Amino acid sequence: MTAQQFDDYVKTLPEEEQVEFMYPYTVIREDGNGGYEAIRYHVEYEKYITPIVKLLNEVADLTDNESFAKFLRLKAEALTTDNYYDADVAWIDMKDNKFDMVFGPFETYSDGIKGVKAKYEAYVEIIDQKASEDLKKYTSYLSKMEEHLPIPQEYKSDASGLTATFVVVNDIIRKGEGTVGYQAVATNLPNDPEVHATKGTKKTFWKNMLKARFNGIIIPVSNRLIEESQLKYLSDEGFFQFVLMHEICHAIGPRVVKVGPNKGMAANASIGPNYNALEECKADVTGLYQLAYLMDEGVVDKSRREEFYVSFLGSLFRSIRFGLDEAHGKAAAISLSYMLANGGILYDEATNKWSIDFDNFEEGVKNLDGELLILEGNGDNVKVQEFFDQWTKETPALASAMKATEDLPIDVLPVRSIKWE
Amino acid sequence: MKKLFIILLAVTAFSCQEKGTESANEANTESTREIKDYLSQYKPYPMDFDATSYNETDRTILKKLVEASEYLDTIYWLQTSKYGLHLRDSLAAIKDKNQSTKDLLTLVNRNGGPFELLNGYKTFIGNQTYYPGDELYPMA
Ligand SMILES: [Zn+2]
């Protein structure tokens, strides 16, 4: 079936049926009379849903954590109706449990016809209490971080109402869509806009996968491209800290245009397709800028400064491998090329090695961050495109970096084992 | 691609027909290299979990959640590639797997089917080409 056939057929249907055809949790089948029907997942996959429901309810009986039990029962029910709202809300509301899970149909990006059908994925997780507490400490600084941004007052937003639910976990297994493609290190769920409007979302960090990515992919790339005297600063904990700040900093900065003819418009709508790469770069650089702030405030251990910055540099060499047409690749190119030209990052052409210029790095971060935030706040894609033309070019230095690492693995292959007794 | 289909049929038949693997190995040097190239993109990384420090109730909870996830996994394959599920089960059922069977099984599992997700859905085993919509829409 093509998207065109789907659209042509759906057009002929009454509105309620159209909704079912576009619903994330239905499959489309031939109806035997030359037409099509939309069948809910719980009907199509009943044979497997039934034992899942039984198991989730059994776990609900076993746990002494009420919020977890409530979530499990609502999730079990949702899987038999394909209405997930209540289960999603209960998931965000879970409190003080040892375990967490992402479980059910969520992501729609592998639906190559309409991009609306969700695939099932499962992550069984142990909550990292200490890291989750630290994260709460950082997010309590959201307003202060917004105020501290290196931009004029008219570009700043009111961040006082910002609430975000974050949880740091280690997953013990992944199943379904969680096992295929690039292994995710963080996710922001659910995808239901109704839940967004009433409850917001919950951001999950998979700390063990983050470490796997760092040790399995970023270290080998860094060993080839980072100057030897700085390799000792590479650390998975340092990388983890940086990634936390990256995610937190998606929440601050201009989300609507602050100045100029598009004032008041959503920044992503105003800028268009370039927004993704710009926002990724902004989250990287603002993350570093605020990390320095939190170190100065004594919230984060400042003796780890070198660790954070060199681990960040290593991660850029992983990202540019996705190419300068892809959002993360573009974002990495901007950081590397801008700070190479304006201070903060050094490159030795003779050895093809990169390093952090510790004396100038924080100043370089501040300057770049100001430019990125103002581009978002102006919402003018012409300016954004000019900036990209200047800093996402495939320079000889970037080309050498990509060439030097092209034979290295690009993602991890988790080899799992669980010791039960 | 065709060559790899041969290898699969050969190794599937291996349990009842000894000489199958030899001819398959000879016929597949080129495709085996392709498989090795795809595999070299992925860095095997041990991720162990020790559940022994948890009490009995917690271990039961985790075991049940893992079991529930296995059922969910089957649904994912049914959504994605019924043919891939068949390939996976055929490969997994082979006793005394040789290296190329193991490699194929690893790749099928890592991709949730016979198409290489990091390489524009290129077919690496079997005779199907990627079709958008997977099993969520009628195939034709
Ligand atoms: Zn991001």
Side-chain angles (χ1 to χ4, degrees):
Chain A
M1 184 181 226
T2 63
Q4 187 65 52
Q5 284 170 322
F6 179 94
D7 291 342
D8 289 347
Y9 185 77
V10 169
K11 257 191 296 203
T12 67
L13 300 171
E15 204 177 316
E16 324 77 271
E17 273 189 67
Q18 294 194 5
V19 172
E20 280 301 291
F21 270 69
M22 287 297 285
Y23 198 57
Y25 319 111
T26 58
V27 294
I28 308 303
R29 296 289 178 248
E30 281 165 7
D31 68 359
N33 298 309
Y36 300 100
E37 56 182 337
I39 300 168
R40 291 242 172 169
Y41 283 177
H42 69 272
V43 177
E44 177 80 5
Y45 305 118
E46 189 188 359
K47 188 177 155 194
Y48 304 95
I49 296 291
T50 305
I52 290 173
V53 165
K54 182 168 174 281
L55 285 160
L56 296 186
N57 282 320
E58 284 169 10
V59 175
D61 291 340
L62 281 170
T63 180
D64 53 13
N65 183 293
E66 252 175 67
S67 66
F68 187 42
K70 183 178 179 192
F71 157 70
L72 288 160
R73 292 204 170 92
L74 287 170
K75 174 66 82 173
E77 196 187 320
L79 289 164
T80 61
T81 59
D82 288 304
N83 297 317
Y84 291 91
Y85 182 89
D86 292 338
D88 286 341
V89 169
W91 180 63
I92 294 172
D93 282 341
M94 261 173 59
K95 267 198 178 55
D96 304 322
N97 196 37
K98 282 175 257 188
F99 311 126
D100 202 341
M101 62 201 289
V102 171
F103 195 95
F106 284 104
E107 302 295 353
T108 60
Y109 43 67
S110 77
D111 170 356
I113 303 289
K114 293 298 292 178
V116 295
K117 306 291 177 200
K119 292 258 182 96
Y120 286 76
E121 61 183 16
Y123 300 73
V124 177
E125 305 157 341
I126 312 290
I127 295 177
D128 185 328
Q129 301 289 1
K130 164 85 172 61
S132 299
E133 282 308 311
D134 282 349
L135 195 49
K136 241 181 240 158
K137 208 162 52 187
Y138 309 150
T139 51
S140 72
Y141 274 80
L142 270 175
S143 277
K144 283 184 182 160
M145 288 194 274
E146 176 73 39
E147 194 47 43
H148 180 64
L149 288 173
I151 46 177
Q153 213 57 31
E154 58 187 348
Y155 283 91
K156 291 180 187 169
S157 313
D158 176 15
S160 60
L162 277 181
T163 52
T165 307
F166 289 95
V167 60
V168 180
V169 301
N170 294 296
D171 56 47
I172 68 170
I173 52 149
R174 295 180 168 196
K175 287 290 169 185
E177 195 161 53
T179 59
V180 309
Y182 287 106
Q183 293 298 290
V185 298
T187 189
N188 198 26
L189 289 172
N191 292 323
D192 180 358
E194 260 183 74
V195 182
H196 291 195
T198 51
K199 283 306 286 190
T201 59
K202 178 154 114 180
K203 189 130 214 165
T204 301
F205 295 90
W206 290 293
K207 190 173 180 181
N208 57 332
M209 192 58 77
L210 223 120
K211 288 186 166 191
R213 175 182 291 178
F214 190 80
N215 295 315
I217 306 299
I218 294 175
I219 294 253
V221 171
S222 302
N223 282 339
R224 292 211 183 151
L225 290 170
I226 292 181
E227 210 236 305
E228 207 173 331
S229 66
Q230 294 195 354
L231 289 176
K232 60 175 183 280
Y233 296 123
L234 290 167
S235 112
D236 54 12
E237 285 287 342
F239 177 58
F240 175 65
Q241 188 84 37
F242 161 71
V243 173
L244 288 186
M245 294 307 295
H246 170 109
E247 296 298 340
I248 290 172
C249 289
H250 273 307
I252 58 175
R255 309 230 274 177
V256 297
V257 178
K258 299 288 181 182
V259 170
N262 286 356
K263 188 173 173 176
M265 194 175 171
N268 58 352
S270 180
I271 291 169
N274 279 336
Y275 178 81
N276 279 344
L278 182 63
E279 174 62 19
E280 281 313 311
C281 193
K282 176 218 101 179
D284 270 1
V285 180
T286 309
L288 291 164
Y289 177 75
Q290 302 294 3
L291 197 50
Y293 171 62
L294 291 183
M295 285 190 280
D296 293 343
E297 292 284 298
V299 182
V300 172
D301 180 3
K302 63 164 89 131
S303 71
R304 296 174 62 199
R305 204 175 287 263
E306 289 84 0
E307 214 184 294
F308 299 143
Y309 298 162
V310 177
S311 301
F312 159 73
L313 178 62
S315 76
L316 296 179
F317 297 122
R318 169 185 174 271
S319 301
I320 51 165
R321 298 182 68 198
F322 296 111
L324 302 181
D325 297 322
E326 192 273 343
H328 295 84
K330 252 185 199 150
I334 293 170
S335 285
L336 287 168
S337 293
Y338 184 98
M339 284 197 272
L340 183 56
N342 295 298
I345 290 178
L346 304 169
Y347 172 64
D348 181 346
E349 209 179 312
T351 58
N352 193 27
K353 298 272 185 186
W354 300 69
S355 56
I356 297 282
D357 176 1
F358 291 115
D359 293 336
N360 295 302
F361 186 71
E362 284 173 16
E363 189 61 27
V365 162
K366 184 179 176 184
N367 292 335
L368 174 54
D369 200 28
E371 293 221 35
L372 297 166
L373 291 162
I374 283 172
L375 284 172
E376 288 194 346
N378 286 335
D380 179 354
N381 189 48
V382 175
K383 295 253 175 58
V384 176
Q385 190 58 53
E386 279 171 19
F387 188 81
F388 280 15
D389 289 343
Q390 190 176 4
W391 300 115
T392 67
K393 275 197 300 261
E394 187 177 318
T395 62
L398 293 186
S400 314
M402 286 187 264
K403 184 108 185 64
T405 53
E406 65 186 2
D407 62 314
L408 291 174
I410 191 114
D411 201 18
V412 290
L413 175 71
V415 182
R416 301 272 186 176
S417 80
I418 301 178
K419 190 174 170 211
W420 290 113
E421 20 238 327
Chain B
M1 263 15 109
K2 278 221 177 75
K3 285 179 185 172
L4 278 170
F5 194 44
I6 296 165
I7 200 179
L8 177 77
L9 291 176
V11 290
T12 310
F14 178 57
S15 44
C16 48
Q17 194 188 337
E18 290 277 323
K19 62 183 181 183
T21 38
E22 279 173 354
S23 55
N25 284 344
E26 279 164 36
N28 283 286
T29 30
E30 192 189 305
S31 300
T32 307
R33 190 175 314 130
E34 200 177 44
I35 295 295
K36 293 274 177 223
D37 283 350
Y38 288 150
L39 269 179
S40 71
Q41 307 169 109
Y42 302 107
K43 167 85 179 167
Y45 195 88
M47 300 182 85
D48 303 330
F49 174 64
D50 184 352
T52 54
S53 62
Y54 288 90
N55 67 34
E56 180 121 17
T57 307
D58 284 346
R59 264 181 293 156
T60 309
I61 286 174
L62 291 173
K63 274 185 186 168
K64 283 180 188 291
L65 295 178
V66 168
E67 196 187 339
S69 303
E70 299 286 355
Y71 286 109
L72 176 145
D73 197 57
T74 306
I75 302 179
Y76 169 77
W77 282 82
L78 292 173
Q79 289 184 300
T80 304
S81 176
K82 288 179 183 164
Y83 176 59
L85 182 58
H86 167 72
L87 290 174
R88 184 195 75 176
D89 291 345
S90 311
L91 287 166
I94 296 172
K95 280 184 201 137
D96 303 321
K97 297 176 190 59
N98 63 19
Q99 193 55 47
S100 51
T101 309
K102 285 182 196 161
D103 289 349
L104 283 171
L105 182 56
T106 301
L107 267 191
V108 169
N109 274 321
R110 186 62 172 74
N111 286 292
F115 313 118
E116 234 293 312
L117 302 187
L118 268 50
N119 291 279
Y121 295 96
K122 259 185 83 179
T123 306
F124 62 85
I125 181 172
N127 55 0
Q128 265 187 352
T129 42
Y130 171 70
Y131 48 101
D134 303 339
E135 315 286 351
L136 299 168
Y137 301 83
M139 216 180 187

